[in-house]
Amino acid sequence: GNSVTQMEGPVTLSEEAFLTINCTYTATGYPSLFWYVQYPGEGLQLLLKATKADDKGSNKGFEATYRKETTSFHLEKGSVQVSDSAVYFCALSDSPQNTPLVFGKGTRLSVIA
Amino acid sequence: ETGVTQTPRHLVMGMTNKKSLKCEQHLGHNAMYWYKQSAKKPLELMFVYNFKEQTENNSVPSRFSPECPNSSHLFLHLHTLQPEDSALYLCASSHTDVNLGNYGYTFGSGTRLTVV
């Protein structure tokens, strides 16, 4: 079956540090990959996505590259801010079946000034 | 405002009560979902509706009853819940195309449910 594994948190970084949150997946087809972010007291928001191998999704300084050879979609940001503190979820949807999104467990990021 | 509105934001109910959660979207999406988010557990998919038809029910107890009267509205009817059902209930919608795949979900802010 489809599954997503992401690194356990919490992750605590100082402002302007480099961020990597690892995500690997297992899928039977050709999945689309997503990163969602959840700020305190809110629902999940789509951060970025990639729909095929070697695609790079980017948004708000965050990037992730769809690596089929390593079945990975690691999230990176070169310089984090306090406002990036949130829970980050990696997710996949298998296609062409268009299966519902399968989420990882989430990684809590805390950025301190 | 994400385009998906959930009400109420907070709900406290007794185990013998009956209540309903409401979700509304006017994004033109053709699929809607209920997820349960509990502390220290992965997001759990509960129900999926495509074009108002329920296409997935992930072994959810019958004390949770979904209803999708049209493609813009989704309800979750609750009755005789247990304390372990306390969680954040998230609604999401999406547009899926059989040829182009899944465009990703838009989530509501959730309903924080406490069962006492």
Side-chain angles (χ1 to χ4, degrees):
Chain A
N2 298 332
S3 66
V4 174
T5 302
Q6 60 182 108
M7 63 188 288
E8 296 282 335
V11 174
T12 302
L13 295 173
S14 297
E15 211 166 19
E16 299 183 3
F18 185 86
L19 168 71
T20 300
I21 300 178
N22 290 337
C23 171
T24 57
Y25 66 89
T26 302
T28 54
Y30 305 94
S32 295
L33 302 173
F34 306 83
W35 277 101
Y36 282 81
V37 58
Q38 186 177 30
Y39 298 104
E42 298 183 17
L44 280 69
Q45 301 175 27
L46 178 64
L47 181 60
L48 54 84
K49 68 176 183 180
T51 57
K52 62 183 187 297
D54 299 325
D55 270 1
K56 178 186 283 188
S58 60
N59 186 26
K60 300 180 180 179
F62 290 89
E63 293 183 339
T65 301
Y66 188 140
R67 302 283 189 202
K68 188 177 179 182
E69 63 276 13
T70 54
T71 61
S72 65
F73 193 55
H74 304 320
L75 182 68
E76 297 181 336
K77 186 174 185 181
S79 176
V80 293
Q81 305 299 313
V82 172
S83 58
D84 294 326
S85 299
V87 181
Y88 292 82
F89 293 88
C90 186
L92 73 81
S93 175
D94 214 346
S95 61
Q97 298 89 347
N98 293 328
T99 54
L101 282 180
V102 174
F103 288 88
K105 292 185 178 181
T107 303
R108 181 174 299 278
L109 170 67
S110 295
V111 180
I112 54 178
Chain B
E1 181 60 50
T2 65
V4 177
T5 303
Q6 288 188 245
T7 53
R9 289 296 304 271
H10 301 273
L11 177 63
V12 179
M13 60 185 289
M15 289 189 284
T16 59
N17 292 159
K18 289 185 180 181
K19 297 286 184 182
S20 295
L21 309 185
K22 180 181 177 182
C23 177
E24 184 173 356
Q25 62 91 7
H26 295 288
L27 301 170
H29 289 170
N30 56 11
M32 298 186 77
Y33 312 81
W34 280 116
Y35 279 86
K36 177 182 179 183
Q37 186 178 31
S38 305
K40 300 182 180 180
K41 293 178 70 174
L43 276 165
E44 301 173 52
L45 177 66
M46 300 176 71
F47 300 105
V48 180
Y49 279 82
N50 275 297
F51 296 100
K52 303 185 300 177
E53 300 295 323
Q54 187 180 129
T55 57
E56 194 150 338
N57 173 342
N58 272 6
S59 303
V60 180
S62 59
R63 57 186 184 271
F64 295 91
S65 174
E67 179 189 1
C68 188
N70 55 60
S71 57
S72 298
H73 293 86
L74 183 65
F75 295 89
L76 187 62
H77 304 299
L78 316 171
H79 65 98
T80 60
L81 294 192
Q82 305 298 312
E84 60 265 27
D85 296 323
S86 299
L88 180 68
Y89 288 84
L90 291 166
C91 174
S93 68
S94 72
H95 181 76
T96 59
D97 181 286
V98 65
N99 295 312
L100 300 179
N102 192 319
Y103 292 89
Y105 293 2
T106 301
F107 280 84
S109 298
T111 295
R112 174 69 62 187
L113 173 67
T114 303
V115 181
V116 297

